[in-house]
Amino acid sequence: MDAIYPTGPSGLAVFLLVTVLLAGAAAFATGRAIASQWKPVIQLVAYTFLLAMVARFLHYALFKQPFLDPRNVAVDFAVLLFIALIGFRVARSRQMVRQYPWIFKTNGPLSWLERT
């Protein structure tokens, strides 16, 4: 893991706790909030970058890991963006089916279909 994501001792556990669990929950909620306000996805990218920087600060402040290592920032950003996009898509799918039931029907938690 140190080749891709340089960390200190117990790096995987810290990554899972801080980035995936804590910041991931915030990213999922951010994705749902952006979708519920009918905002464009590009705003989600900007907010997710800010969340990635917060996650990096928590890694640095609590666990003495590198703060602005480009690989760490990129991995955190990619993981959080993926989680945020899932939250965005779940909320948008529910919106489309709920607000336009005569046009769309559900096709799983992440998509919708046009009624025929």
Side-chain angles (χ1 to χ4, degrees), residues 96-114:
M96 295 299 284
V97 172
R98 184 177 54 237
Q99 292 192 354
Y100 306 108
W102 63 92
I103 300 174
F104 300 112
K105 63 181 178 179
T106 187
N107 186 32
L110 299 176
S111 65
W112 59 92
L113 287 175
E114 192 170 338

Side-chain angles (χ1 to χ4, degrees), residues 33-113:
I34 296 290
S36 70
Q37 297 296 315
W38 295 93
K39 303 284 184 180
V41 175
I42 194 70
Q43 284 189 353
L44 183 62
V45 173
Y47 291 138
T48 303
F49 181 75
L50 293 175
L51 278 173
M53 295 312 295
V54 168
R56 288 306 322 146
F57 178 75
L58 291 176
H59 281 279
Y60 170 74
L62 298 176
F63 302 104
K64 296 181 176 45
Q65 292 184 351
F67 180 46
L68 291 177
D69 186 319
R71 290 180 293 179
N72 290 4
V73 172
V75 169
D76 284 354
F77 176 68
V79 168
L80 293 177
L81 185 61
F82 178 73
I83 295 170
L85 287 171
I86 290 174
F88 181 88
R89 191 66 180 185
V90 165
R92 183 58 50 94
S93 176
R94 288 181 187 161
Q95 281 178 315
M96 295 299 284
V97 172
R98 184 177 54 237
Q99 292 192 354
Y100 306 108
W102 63 92
I103 300 174
F104 300 112
K105 63 181 178 179
T106 187
N107 186 32
L110 299 176
S111 65
W112 59 92
L113 287 175

